[in-house]
Amino acid sequence: MPGVYLSYPFCAQKCTYCNFASGVFPRELEARYLDALAGEISAHTWRWQPQTIYLGGGTPSSMDTTALAGMLARIPGRPWREATLEAAPGGITAEKARAWVDLGIDRVSLGVQSFVETEIRRTGRKHTAAVVEEEIALLRTAGIRAINIDLIAGLSAQTETSWRESLDWVERLAPEHVSVYMLEVDEDSRLGKEMLLGGVRYGAMDTPSEDATADFYEIAVERLAALGIPRYEISNFARPGYESRHNLKYWTLEHYVGFGADAHSFDGGKRWANPESVEEYVSRPLPYGRGSVSGAHDDERLFLGLRLAAGIRPTADEWQRFAAPIRRFVDDGLLETADGALRLTDRGVLLSNEVFQEFLTA
Ligand code: SF4
C-alpha cells in the first residue's frame, strides 16, 4: 500500500518542545514554498498509485484550502484508502472541515498534547480542552472518518493527576486513534536545550523525571487498553480497524514518496530526503531530493518490525544472525518469542532504543 507524504512546515508559533524543522516563517516564503511544492509533485513520475496520503508538518490545517486542493489534485489514486491531515486545535471551522472532506481527507490528527491548561500554556499553544471538544464535533459533523489525538507524557507541570485528567478527556471524546509520545529531551527544541543546560525557562525545572514520564506512559497503555484503544505500535493506539494505514508502512518497509522540506522517501531499495530547511528547499532546483540518498539496511526490517505490538517473524537467516542479542534480551526480559514471532515485552518497550541500537550494530 504505497503512500505519499506532504510536508507543510508552517506554524502559528514554535512550540517549546518541538524538535521538527518547522516554525514561523514570513508569508512571502510560504507563497514560494507552495509553488516549489506544486512543482515538485508535478515533476514526479508515478510508478505506482498512491493508496494513502499524509499531510504533516508543521500545521497543514492552516494551509489555504484552495492551495490544498491544488496540491491534492496533482496526486493520483483518489479516492485514497486513507488521507490524513495534521491539525492544530484552535483553527478548525465547519467550512474548513467540509472542504477537507470534499477534497478526500478522511482522517484528522489533532496535536492536542495535553488537555490541562497549565501544561498547554507552557508549550506555547493556545487551545483549551473545550476548543478541542468543539472542533472534534465539527469534524465528525463534516464526515471525518477517524480522529487521532496526540498526547505528550513528560510536559512541564505534568503530574500523575493531570495526566489522568488528559486521559479522562480522551475517554470523553472517544477518538478512534491516540498517539502517546514521551517528551524528547534534545538540543533541537527550546525546552530540551533548557533542560540540558539546567535552566528554568519554558518550565524546564518543572518537567517530570524520566521515571515519572515512563510511569505516565504505562498508565496510558493500561487506560487506553481499557477504553478499547490498545497499543499497536510503541507510540500508537487504535480501536481495531483504525490503525494508521499510512504510518504502518514506515514499520513494514512499504514504499512511500515525500514532497516538501525535510520529506523522506523510500522505494524499497533506497531512501532519500529533501533539504531540511525551508529556505534551502525553495531555492534548490528540482529534483529536491537527490542530495541525500542512502541504501536500506538489512537490519531495518527487524528493528522497525519490533516497534509493532504484533512483533516480527524473523527469517531463518535473521534468527541465526541475531541469535546472540535475541538470547540476551529474552534472558533480560526485554524480548519474548511465541509461535515464530519476536516482540518487545512491556519493559522492552520502555527500553526499546537500547534494543534497537543493539540490532543496528550486531
Ligand atoms: S509541535 Fe507542531 S505546531 Fe508546534 S511548532 Fe512543532 S510542528 Fe508546529
Side-chain angles (χ1 to χ4, degrees):
M1 199 191 280
V4 174
Y5 177 82
L6 253 67
S7 157
Y8 185 75
F10 298 87
C11 300
Q13 77 289 315
K14 183 70 181 172
C15 304
T16 57
Y17 60 83
C18 180
N19 54 6
F20 298 135
S22 59
V24 185
F25 299 98
R27 278 217 92 68
E28 161 278 327
L29 188 59
E30 192 172 339
R32 285 171 58 209
Y33 182 83
L34 289 173
D35 281 348
L37 186 60
E40 189 191 9
I41 304 172
S42 297
H44 183 71
T45 308
W46 296 96
R47 295 202 170 82
W48 37 258
Q49 284 275 92
Q51 297 194 11
T52 65
I53 308 267
Y54 195 101
L55 285 126
T59 312
S61 56
S62 66
M63 199 194 292
D64 169 70
T65 41
T66 312
L68 178 62
M71 297 306 156
L72 293 177
R74 290 173 160 79
I75 301 172
R78 197 187 310 218
W80 303 291
R81 285 200 54 201
E82 179 187 275
T84 303
L85 179 101
E86 281 186 354
I92 301 174
T93 61
E95 295 73 49
K96 269 197 167 186
R98 273 197 302 270
W100 294 339
V101 171
D102 288 347
L103 292 174
I105 302 293
D106 70 337
R107 186 172 181 273
V108 171
S109 175
L110 287 166
V112 177
Q113 321 311 356
S114 166
F115 286 92
V116 177
E117 191 123 4
T118 338
E119 296 169 25
I120 300 169
R121 295 297 163 266
R122 291 205 180 171
T123 68
R125 298 260 183 142
K126 298 185 180 66
H127 63 266
T128 60
V131 163
V132 177
E133 185 170 34
E134 277 162 33
E135 295 189 344
I136 287 184
L138 291 178
L139 293 168
R140 295 221 184 269
T141 306
I144 292 294
R145 175 187 63 90
I147 286 170
N148 169 59
I149 288 178
D150 275 352
L151 290 180
I152 298 181
L155 289 176
S156 175
Q158 200 167 65
T159 62
E160 184 179 326
T161 308
S162 71
W163 180 242
R164 288 187 188 277
E165 199 181 313
S166 282
L167 294 170
D168 288 344
W169 273 99
V170 170
E171 177 169 10
R172 175 166 169 176
L173 299 176
E176 286 73 22
H177 192 285
V178 180
S179 299
V180 179
Y181 301 101
M182 288 193 261
L183 181 77
E184 284 180 24
V185 182
D186 60 32
E187 287 277 333
D188 293 335
S189 74
R190 286 181 292 158
L191 175 60
K193 216 183 278 178
E194 195 69 12
M195 287 170 71
L196 293 172
L197 291 171
V200 296
R201 288 186 298 170
Y202 320 119
M205 294 302 277
D206 282 343
T207 46
S209 66
E210 262 182 49
D211 283 352
T213 301
D215 287 347
F216 297 167
Y217 170 83
E218 286 190 312
I219 289 170
V221 173
E222 206 174 296
R223 182 76 186 277
L224 292 171
L227 294 176
I229 315 176
R231 177 172 65 197
Y232 68 96
E233 191 271 346
I234 292 179
S235 308
N236 289 286
F237 304 72
R239 296 186 192 280
Y242 285 95
E243 296 83 5
S244 164
R245 293 169 190 159
H246 182 86
N247 288 339
L248 273 172
K249 68 180 92 273
Y250 297 135
W251 306 306
T252 52
L253 287 176
E254 288 182 73
H255 302 190
Y256 52 89
V257 60
F259 299 106
D262 202 27
H264 290 61
S265 304
F266 176 60
D267 69 0
K270 62 179 187 316
R271 300 184 175 282
W272 63 98
N274 281 356
E276 193 179 294
S277 111
V278 175
E279 286 84 356
E280 200 187 331
Y281 173 76
V282 297
S283 22
R284 202 188 267 200
L286 283 165
Y288 297 103
R290 296 297 178 258
S292 117
V293 181
S294 60
H297 301 287
D298 291 351
D299 39 19
E300 276 181 4
R301 195 187 88 86
L302 204 73
F303 76 83
L304 287 174
L306 278 176
R307 295 191 62 91
L308 298 169
I312 190 162
R313 294 188 163 275
T315 59
D317 178 55
E318 285 165 340
W319 280 116
Q320 203 176 10
R321 188 166 153 217
F322 299 109
I326 289 174
R327 197 172 320 112
R328 186 152 42 80
F329 287 130
V330 168
D331 288 349
D332 290 348
L334 303 184
L335 284 178
E336 60 190 11
T337 55
D339 303 326
L342 181 68
R343 58 176 172 254
L344 290 167
T345 60
D346 286 347
R347 202 167 91 87
V349 168
L350 289 171
L351 298 170
S352 54
N353 283 340
E354 214 171 282
V355 177
F356 300 154
Q357 192 55 40
E358 190 70 25
F359 284 115
L360 270 174
T361 50

Short mmCIF file of all heavy atoms in Angstrom, two decimals, residues 71-123:
data_model
loop_
_atom_site.label_atom_id
_atom_site.label_comp_id
_atom_site.label_asym_id
_atom_site.label_seq_id
_atom_site.Cartn_x
_atom_site.Cartn_y
_atom_site.Cartn_z
N MET A 71 -2.72 21.04 -4.47
CA MET A 71 -1.70 20.01 -4.21
C MET A 71 -2.31 18.62 -4.40
O MET A 71 -1.74 17.75 -5.06
CB MET A 71 -1.19 20.09 -2.76
CG MET A 71 -0.49 21.35 -2.39
SD MET A 71 0.87 21.74 -3.49
CE MET A 71 0.94 23.51 -3.21
N LEU A 72 -3.49 18.41 -3.81
CA LEU A 72 -4.09 17.08 -3.85
C LEU A 72 -4.51 16.70 -5.27
O LEU A 72 -4.48 15.52 -5.64
CB LEU A 72 -5.29 17.00 -2.88
CG LEU A 72 -4.91 17.10 -1.40
CD1 LEU A 72 -6.16 17.10 -0.52
CD2 LEU A 72 -3.99 15.96 -0.97
N ALA A 73 -4.86 17.72 -6.09
CA ALA A 73 -5.26 17.43 -7.49
C ALA A 73 -4.08 16.86 -8.28
O ALA A 73 -4.28 16.22 -9.31
CB ALA A 73 -5.76 18.71 -8.14
N ARG A 74 -2.86 17.09 -7.81
CA ARG A 74 -1.68 16.60 -8.52
C ARG A 74 -1.33 15.15 -8.16
O ARG A 74 -0.38 14.59 -8.69
CB ARG A 74 -0.47 17.49 -8.19
CG ARG A 74 -0.56 18.87 -8.80
CD ARG A 74 0.59 19.76 -8.29
NE ARG A 74 0.80 20.88 -9.16
CZ ARG A 74 0.06 21.99 -9.17
NH1 ARG A 74 -0.95 22.12 -8.33
NH2 ARG A 74 0.32 22.97 -10.01
N ILE A 75 -2.06 14.61 -7.18
CA ILE A 75 -1.71 13.26 -6.71
C ILE A 75 -2.75 12.25 -7.21
O ILE A 75 -3.94 12.41 -6.94
CB ILE A 75 -1.65 13.24 -5.16
CG1 ILE A 75 -0.60 14.26 -4.70
CG2 ILE A 75 -1.33 11.84 -4.65
CD1 ILE A 75 -0.57 14.48 -3.22
N PRO A 76 -2.31 11.22 -7.95
CA PRO A 76 -3.29 10.24 -8.46
C PRO A 76 -3.83 9.34 -7.35
O PRO A 76 -3.36 9.39 -6.21
CB PRO A 76 -2.45 9.43 -9.46
CG PRO A 76 -1.04 9.62 -9.05
CD PRO A 76 -0.93 10.93 -8.34
N GLY A 77 -4.83 8.53 -7.71
CA GLY A 77 -5.28 7.49 -6.79
C GLY A 77 -6.52 7.81 -5.98
O GLY A 77 -6.95 7.00 -5.17
N ARG A 78 -7.11 9.02 -6.17
CA ARG A 78 -8.28 9.38 -5.39
C ARG A 78 -9.47 8.50 -5.79
O ARG A 78 -9.65 8.29 -6.99
CB ARG A 78 -8.62 10.86 -5.63
CG ARG A 78 -9.56 11.42 -4.56
CD ARG A 78 -10.02 12.80 -4.90
NE ARG A 78 -8.96 13.71 -5.25
CZ ARG A 78 -8.93 15.02 -4.91
NH1 ARG A 78 -9.88 15.50 -4.16
NH2 ARG A 78 -7.98 15.80 -5.32
N PRO A 79 -10.35 7.98 -4.94
CA PRO A 79 -10.28 8.16 -3.51
C PRO A 79 -9.21 7.26 -2.88
O PRO A 79 -9.14 6.07 -3.16
CB PRO A 79 -11.68 7.72 -3.04
CG PRO A 79 -12.12 6.73 -4.07
CD PRO A 79 -11.48 7.14 -5.36
N TRP A 80 -8.39 7.87 -2.03
CA TRP A 80 -7.32 7.12 -1.39
C TRP A 80 -7.91 6.27 -0.27
O TRP A 80 -9.00 6.57 0.25
CB TRP A 80 -6.29 8.11 -0.84
CG TRP A 80 -5.77 9.00 -1.93
CD1 TRP A 80 -4.96 8.63 -2.96
CD2 TRP A 80 -6.06 10.39 -2.14
NE1 TRP A 80 -4.72 9.70 -3.79
CE2 TRP A 80 -5.38 10.79 -3.30
CE3 TRP A 80 -6.82 11.33 -1.44
CZ2 TRP A 80 -5.43 12.09 -3.79
CZ3 TRP A 80 -6.89 12.62 -1.92
CH2 TRP A 80 -6.20 13.00 -3.08
N ARG A 81 -7.19 5.25 0.11
CA ARG A 81 -7.72 4.37 1.18
C ARG A 81 -7.63 5.07 2.53
O ARG A 81 -8.32 4.69 3.48
CB ARG A 81 -6.95 3.05 1.22
CG ARG A 81 -7.37 2.16 0.05
CD ARG A 81 -7.06 0.73 0.28
NE ARG A 81 -7.60 0.20 1.52
CZ ARG A 81 -7.14 -0.87 2.13
NH1 ARG A 81 -6.15 -1.53 1.60
NH2 ARG A 81 -7.67 -1.30 3.26
N GLU A 82 -6.78 6.09 2.59
CA GLU A 82 -6.71 6.89 3.83
C GLU A 82 -6.02 8.20 3.47
O GLU A 82 -5.02 8.20 2.75
CB GLU A 82 -5.90 6.13 4.88
CG GLU A 82 -5.74 6.87 6.20
CD GLU A 82 -4.79 6.12 7.13
OE1 GLU A 82 -5.23 5.20 7.84
OE2 GLU A 82 -3.57 6.44 7.11
N ALA A 83 -6.55 9.31 3.94
CA ALA A 83 -5.90 10.61 3.71
C ALA A 83 -5.98 11.41 5.01
O ALA A 83 -7.05 11.82 5.45
CB ALA A 83 -6.58 11.37 2.57
N THR A 84 -4.81 11.59 5.62
CA THR A 84 -4.74 12.23 6.95
C THR A 84 -4.23 13.65 6.84
O THR A 84 -3.30 13.93 6.07
CB THR A 84 -3.77 11.43 7.85
OG1 THR A 84 -4.20 10.08 7.92
CG2 THR A 84 -3.70 12.01 9.26
N LEU A 85 -4.80 14.52 7.64
CA LEU A 85 -4.32 15.91 7.72
C LEU A 85 -4.00 16.18 9.19
O LEU A 85 -4.84 15.95 10.07
CB LEU A 85 -5.43 16.86 7.25
CG LEU A 85 -5.09 18.34 7.30
CD1 LEU A 85 -4.70 18.81 5.89
CD2 LEU A 85 -6.26 19.16 7.79
N GLU A 86 -2.78 16.67 9.45
CA GLU A 86 -2.45 17.05 10.83
C GLU A 86 -3.02 18.44 11.10
O GLU A 86 -2.89 19.34 10.26
CB GLU A 86 -0.93 17.09 11.02
CG GLU A 86 -0.33 15.72 11.20
CD GLU A 86 1.16 15.77 11.53
OE1 GLU A 86 1.76 16.87 11.51
OE2 GLU A 86 1.72 14.70 11.79
N ALA A 87 -3.61 18.61 12.27
CA ALA A 87 -4.26 19.89 12.57
C ALA A 87 -3.90 20.36 13.97
O ALA A 87 -3.75 19.55 14.89
CB ALA A 87 -5.77 19.73 12.46
N ALA A 88 -3.74 21.68 14.09
CA ALA A 88 -3.53 22.27 15.41
C ALA A 88 -4.89 22.72 15.92
O ALA A 88 -5.60 23.43 15.22
CB ALA A 88 -2.59 23.46 15.31
N PRO A 89 -5.29 22.29 17.13
CA PRO A 89 -6.58 22.72 17.63
C PRO A 89 -6.61 24.25 17.77
O PRO A 89 -5.60 24.88 18.09
CB PRO A 89 -6.68 22.07 19.01
CG PRO A 89 -5.60 21.06 19.07
CD PRO A 89 -4.56 21.44 18.08
N GLY A 90 -7.76 24.82 17.49
CA GLY A 90 -7.90 26.28 17.64
C GLY A 90 -8.17 26.96 16.32
O GLY A 90 -8.57 28.12 16.29
N GLY A 91 -7.99 26.27 15.20
CA GLY A 91 -8.20 26.94 13.92
C GLY A 91 -9.16 26.19 13.00
O GLY A 91 -9.23 26.46 11.81
N ILE A 92 -9.89 25.22 13.56
CA ILE A 92 -10.77 24.41 12.70
C ILE A 92 -12.17 25.02 12.67
O ILE A 92 -12.75 25.32 13.72
CB ILE A 92 -10.82 22.95 13.21
CG1 ILE A 92 -9.41 22.36 13.20
CG2 ILE A 92 -11.77 22.11 12.36
CD1 ILE A 92 -9.30 20.99 13.82
N THR A 93 -12.69 25.24 11.48
CA THR A 93 -14.05 25.77 11.33
C THR A 93 -14.89 24.74 10.58
O THR A 93 -14.33 23.82 9.95
CB THR A 93 -14.05 27.07 10.50
OG1 THR A 93 -13.52 26.76 9.19
CG2 THR A 93 -13.20 28.17 11.14
N ALA A 94 -16.22 24.93 10.61
CA ALA A 94 -17.11 24.00 9.90
C ALA A 94 -16.81 24.03 8.41
O ALA A 94 -16.79 22.99 7.74
CB ALA A 94 -18.56 24.38 10.17
N GLU A 95 -16.52 25.23 7.87
CA GLU A 95 -16.23 25.35 6.42
C GLU A 95 -14.98 24.57 6.07
O GLU A 95 -14.93 23.85 5.08
CB GLU A 95 -16.02 26.82 6.00
CG GLU A 95 -17.22 27.74 6.14
CD GLU A 95 -17.51 28.08 7.58
OE1 GLU A 95 -16.57 28.46 8.31
OE2 GLU A 95 -18.66 27.94 8.01
N LYS A 96 -13.94 24.77 6.89
CA LYS A 96 -12.67 24.06 6.62
C LYS A 96 -12.90 22.56 6.65
O LYS A 96 -12.46 21.82 5.77
CB LYS A 96 -11.62 24.42 7.67
CG LYS A 96 -10.78 25.62 7.29
CD LYS A 96 -9.53 25.65 8.15
CE LYS A 96 -8.56 26.66 7.55
NZ LYS A 96 -7.28 26.68 8.21
N ALA A 97 -13.59 22.10 7.68
CA ALA A 97 -13.80 20.65 7.84
C ALA A 97 -14.55 20.10 6.63
O ALA A 97 -14.20 19.04 6.10
CB ALA A 97 -14.56 20.38 9.14
N ARG A 98 -15.56 20.84 6.17
CA ARG A 98 -16.33 20.37 4.99
C ARG A 98 -15.44 20.35 3.75
O ARG A 98 -15.47 19.42 2.95
CB ARG A 98 -17.53 21.29 4.75
CG ARG A 98 -18.77 20.86 5.56
CD ARG A 98 -20.02 21.50 5.01
NE ARG A 98 -19.95 22.96 4.99
CZ ARG A 98 -20.33 23.74 5.99
NH1 ARG A 98 -20.83 23.21 7.09
NH2 ARG A 98 -20.23 25.05 5.91
N ALA A 99 -14.62 21.40 3.60
CA ALA A 99 -13.73 21.47 2.43
C ALA A 99 -12.75 20.29 2.45
O ALA A 99 -12.48 19.67 1.41
CB ALA A 99 -12.96 22.80 2.43
N TRP A 100 -12.22 19.96 3.63
CA TRP A 100 -11.27 18.83 3.72
C TRP A 100 -11.95 17.54 3.27
O TRP A 100 -11.37 16.76 2.51
CB TRP A 100 -10.75 18.68 5.16
CG TRP A 100 -9.90 19.82 5.61
CD1 TRP A 100 -9.24 20.73 4.83
CD2 TRP A 100 -9.62 20.20 6.98
NE1 TRP A 100 -8.57 21.64 5.62
CE2 TRP A 100 -8.79 21.34 6.92
CE3 TRP A 100 -9.98 19.69 8.22
CZ2 TRP A 100 -8.31 21.98 8.08
CZ3 TRP A 100 -9.52 20.32 9.38
CH2 TRP A 100 -8.69 21.45 9.29
N VAL A 101 -13.18 17.31 3.76
CA VAL A 101 -13.89 16.08 3.38
C VAL A 101 -14.11 16.06 1.87
O VAL A 101 -13.89 15.05 1.20
CB VAL A 101 -15.21 15.95 4.16
CG1 VAL A 101 -16.05 14.79 3.62
CG2 VAL A 101 -14.93 15.74 5.65
N ASP A 102 -14.50 17.22 1.30
CA ASP A 102 -14.72 17.29 -0.15
C ASP A 102 -13.44 16.97 -0.93
O ASP A 102 -13.48 16.45 -2.04
CB ASP A 102 -15.20 18.69 -0.57
CG ASP A 102 -16.64 18.94 -0.12
OD1 ASP A 102 -17.30 17.95 0.27
OD2 ASP A 102 -17.06 20.10 -0.13
N LEU A 103 -12.29 17.29 -0.33
CA LEU A 103 -11.01 17.04 -1.02
C LEU A 103 -10.50 15.61 -0.82
O LEU A 103 -9.45 15.25 -1.32
CB LEU A 103 -9.94 18.02 -0.51
CG LEU A 103 -10.18 19.50 -0.88
CD1 LEU A 103 -9.14 20.39 -0.20
CD2 LEU A 103 -10.11 19.67 -2.39
N GLY A 104 -11.24 14.82 -0.05
CA GLY A 104 -10.85 13.42 0.13
C GLY A 104 -10.16 13.13 1.45
O GLY A 104 -9.73 11.99 1.69
N ILE A 105 -10.03 14.15 2.32
CA ILE A 105 -9.43 13.89 3.64
C ILE A 105 -10.44 13.10 4.48
O ILE A 105 -11.60 13.50 4.58
CB ILE A 105 -9.10 15.23 4.37
CG1 ILE A 105 -8.16 16.11 3.53
CG2 ILE A 105 -8.57 14.99 5.78
CD1 ILE A 105 -6.77 15.57 3.35
N ASP A 106 -10.00 11.98 5.08
CA ASP A 106 -10.96 11.22 5.89
C ASP A 106 -10.46 11.00 7.32
O ASP A 106 -11.10 10.35 8.13
CB ASP A 106 -11.28 9.86 5.23
CG ASP A 106 -10.10 8.90 5.27
OD1 ASP A 106 -8.94 9.36 5.40
OD2 ASP A 106 -10.33 7.68 5.18
N ARG A 107 -9.26 11.56 7.61
CA ARG A 107 -8.69 11.33 8.94
C ARG A 107 -7.99 12.61 9.37
O ARG A 107 -7.23 13.19 8.57
CB ARG A 107 -7.70 10.16 8.82
CG ARG A 107 -7.11 9.68 10.11
CD ARG A 107 -6.29 8.39 9.87
NE ARG A 107 -5.75 7.92 11.12
CZ ARG A 107 -4.60 8.33 11.63
NH1 ARG A 107 -3.83 9.19 10.98
NH2 ARG A 107 -4.19 7.89 12.81
N VAL A 108 -8.23 13.06 10.60
CA VAL A 108 -7.57 14.27 11.09
C VAL A 108 -6.82 13.92 12.37
O VAL A 108 -7.35 13.28 13.28
CB VAL A 108 -8.60 15.41 11.35
CG1 VAL A 108 -7.94 16.58 12.07
CG2 VAL A 108 -9.19 15.89 10.02
N SER A 109 -5.55 14.34 12.39
CA SER A 109 -4.71 14.07 13.56
C SER A 109 -4.52 15.38 14.32
O SER A 109 -3.95 16.34 13.79
CB SER A 109 -3.36 13.53 13.07
OG SER A 109 -2.50 13.37 14.16
N LEU A 110 -5.04 15.43 15.53
CA LEU A 110 -5.04 16.68 16.30
C LEU A 110 -3.85 16.73 17.27
O LEU A 110 -3.72 15.86 18.15
CB LEU A 110 -6.32 16.78 17.12
CG LEU A 110 -7.60 17.11 16.34
CD1 LEU A 110 -8.82 16.83 17.22
CD2 LEU A 110 -7.59 18.57 15.91
N GLY A 111 -3.03 17.74 17.13
CA GLY A 111 -1.88 17.91 18.02
C GLY A 111 -2.31 18.54 19.33
O GLY A 111 -2.04 19.70 19.60
N VAL A 112 -3.00 17.75 20.15
CA VAL A 112 -3.55 18.29 21.42
C VAL A 112 -2.43 18.38 22.46
O VAL A 112 -2.30 19.37 23.17
CB VAL A 112 -4.72 17.39 21.91
CG1 VAL A 112 -5.24 17.89 23.25
CG2 VAL A 112 -5.84 17.34 20.88
N GLN A 113 -1.69 17.33 22.62
CA GLN A 113 -0.56 17.19 23.57
C GLN A 113 -1.00 17.11 25.01
O GLN A 113 -0.48 16.34 25.79
CB GLN A 113 0.51 18.28 23.39
CG GLN A 113 0.82 18.70 21.96
CD GLN A 113 1.09 17.56 20.98
OE1 GLN A 113 1.12 16.40 21.38
NE2 GLN A 113 1.25 17.85 19.71
N SER A 114 -1.94 17.97 25.43
CA SER A 114 -2.45 17.93 26.81
C SER A 114 -3.82 18.62 26.82
O SER A 114 -4.07 19.50 26.01
CB SER A 114 -1.49 18.67 27.73
OG SER A 114 -2.13 18.91 28.98
N PHE A 115 -4.66 18.20 27.77
CA PHE A 115 -5.94 18.88 27.94
C PHE A 115 -5.90 19.80 29.16
O PHE A 115 -6.91 20.34 29.56
CB PHE A 115 -7.06 17.84 28.12
CG PHE A 115 -7.41 17.13 26.84
CD1 PHE A 115 -6.79 15.94 26.49
CD2 PHE A 115 -8.36 17.65 25.98
CE1 PHE A 115 -7.12 15.28 25.31
CE2 PHE A 115 -8.69 17.01 24.80
CZ PHE A 115 -8.07 15.83 24.46
N VAL A 116 -4.73 19.92 29.78
CA VAL A 116 -4.62 20.67 31.03
C VAL A 116 -4.00 22.03 30.75
O VAL A 116 -2.89 22.13 30.21
CB VAL A 116 -3.75 19.86 32.04
CG1 VAL A 116 -3.56 20.62 33.33
CG2 VAL A 116 -4.41 18.50 32.29
N GLU A 117 -4.73 23.06 31.16
CA GLU A 117 -4.37 24.42 30.76
C GLU A 117 -2.92 24.82 31.09
O GLU A 117 -2.21 25.34 30.23
CB GLU A 117 -5.36 25.40 31.41
CG GLU A 117 -5.25 26.78 30.86
CD GLU A 117 -6.58 27.29 30.29
OE1 GLU A 117 -7.59 26.58 30.39
OE2 GLU A 117 -6.56 28.40 29.75
N THR A 118 -2.47 24.57 32.31
CA THR A 118 -1.09 24.97 32.67
C THR A 118 -0.07 24.33 31.74
O THR A 118 0.89 24.97 31.29
CB THR A 118 -0.72 24.48 34.10
OG1 THR A 118 -1.89 24.24 34.82
CG2 THR A 118 0.23 25.38 34.80
N GLU A 119 -0.29 23.05 31.44
CA GLU A 119 0.66 22.34 30.57
C GLU A 119 0.62 22.90 29.15
O GLU A 119 1.66 23.12 28.52
CB GLU A 119 0.34 20.84 30.54
CG GLU A 119 0.50 20.17 31.89
CD GLU A 119 -0.08 18.76 31.93
OE1 GLU A 119 -0.18 18.11 30.87
OE2 GLU A 119 -0.44 18.31 33.02
N ILE A 120 -0.61 23.15 28.66
CA ILE A 120 -0.76 23.65 27.29
C ILE A 120 -0.05 25.00 27.15
O ILE A 120 0.71 25.23 26.20
CB ILE A 120 -2.25 23.80 26.90
CG1 ILE A 120 -2.96 22.46 27.00
CG2 ILE A 120 -2.39 24.36 25.49
CD1 ILE A 120 -4.48 22.54 26.89
N ARG A 121 -0.28 25.89 28.11
CA ARG A 121 0.32 27.23 28.02
C ARG A 121 1.84 27.14 28.01
O ARG A 121 2.52 27.88 27.33
CB ARG A 121 -0.13 28.12 29.19
CG ARG A 121 -1.61 28.43 29.20
CD ARG A 121 -2.07 29.24 27.98
NE ARG A 121 -3.51 29.15 27.86
CZ ARG A 121 -4.15 28.25 27.09
NH1 ARG A 121 -3.49 27.42 26.31
NH2 ARG A 121 -5.46 28.18 27.07
N ARG A 122 2.40 26.23 28.79
CA ARG A 122 3.87 26.14 28.83
C ARG A 122 4.46 25.63 27.52
O ARG A 122 5.63 25.84 27.25
CB ARG A 122 4.30 25.23 29.98
CG ARG A 122 4.01 25.91 31.30
CD ARG A 122 4.89 25.40 32.38
NE ARG A 122 4.55 26.08 33.62
CZ ARG A 122 5.02 25.73 34.79
NH1 ARG A 122 5.83 24.71 34.89
NH2 ARG A 122 4.69 26.42 35.86
N THR A 123 3.65 24.96 26.72
CA THR A 123 4.17 24.51 25.42
C THR A 123 4.14 25.64 24.40
O THR A 123 4.73 25.53 23.33
CB THR A 123 3.34 23.34 24.83
OG1 THR A 123 2.05 23.84 24.47
CG2 THR A 123 3.21 22.19 25.78
#
